Amino acid sequence: MYFDDDIKINKFKNGSHFNNHLNNLFRTDSAQKWTNEHTSENECYTMGNPDDTGVFQFDFKTRRLIKNNFCGQWNHDIDHLFFARVDCDYDDIFEWNKEMHQEMQNILCDMQNRHYYPILIIIHNDQPKEYCHFHVLLDYIDPDVKS
């Protein structure tokens, strides 16, 4: 296994926390210390289904537009949005491989089985000297609540 199986799923405190978290994920603050020449290589998955294989890489302007759209679309749903960071257990692995992508898909399926549905996954490839990790934005849908 590449990834830590002790994944902490966290709740957003408020709309400002959500906005700041999206700034971090999308690197939309040009003064952010992690933003660099590799940032456009970050992989973004927007999905409701972990079998979706769409991977997107965006320039700064597009990242900011997507981040603002996510904020606008989800800001009123903070009460059931969660986030997680999943770290690779190996500090000497810097490049993603096919097996890591498959393991990520398995982790996402497990989250869905616990009613946490991924709506955004970002793989940060812009820290080439740090080990691999990915972030997940999750929508919790309580199976006992009728809509």
Side-chain angles (χ1 to χ4, degrees):
M1 287 186 53
Y2 287 97
F3 295 105
D4 187 353
D5 60 356
D6 183 26
I7 301 168
K8 292 183 180 37
I9 296 177
N10 304 290
K11 188 155 184 55
F12 290 103
K13 296 173 188 162
N14 53 39
S16 178
H17 183 215
F18 177 60
N19 182 55
N20 290 337
H21 188 73
L22 289 178
N23 270 334
N24 177 45
L25 292 185
F26 283 108
R27 310 282 202 237
T28 53
D29 180 353
S30 58
Q32 188 177 52
K33 70 180 183 178
W34 298 285
T35 303
N36 60 44
E37 67 273 9
H38 300 288
T39 297
S40 62
E41 299 168 17
N42 289 342
E43 296 177 14
C44 176
Y45 299 76
T46 56
M47 63 165 104
N49 179 348
D51 294 328
D52 184 351
T53 58
V55 179
F56 306 96
Q57 295 176 315
F58 301 111
D59 62 18
F60 180 78
K61 183 179 177 182
T62 306
R63 289 195 315 270
R64 179 170 277 172
L65 179 66
I66 294 169
K67 178 260 175 187
N68 288 339
N69 285 339
F70 258 88
C71 253
Q73 180 180 355
W74 292 96
N75 201 34
H76 301 290
D77 295 313
I78 301 260
D79 58 329
H80 56 88
L81 289 182
F82 294 81
F83 63 98
R85 174 183 165 136
V86 183
D87 290 309
C88 179
D89 284 334
Y90 302 97
D91 61 3
D92 60 342
I93 297 177
F94 307 113
E95 300 279 330
W96 278 68
N97 59 44
K98 182 179 177 181
E99 291 79 18
M100 292 170 83
H101 280 276
Q102 182 57 53
E103 188 175 332
M104 179 182 75
Q105 297 296 329
N106 294 340
I107 289 168
L108 297 175
C109 283
D110 179 59
M111 288 178 170
Q112 280 188 332
N113 289 339
R114 294 182 290 141
H115 308 289
Y116 290 96
Y117 295 90
I119 55 176
L120 173 70
I121 297 98
I122 298 212
I123 297 173
H124 279 153
N125 290 319
D126 58 357
Q127 306 303 309
K129 301 237 187 303
E130 291 186 21
Y131 53 92
C132 300
H133 68 277
F134 66 95
H135 299 268
V136 185
L137 180 63
L138 301 154
D139 185 12
Y140 181 78
I141 301 175
D142 189 339
D144 297 327
V145 174
K146 304 286 185 218
S147 26

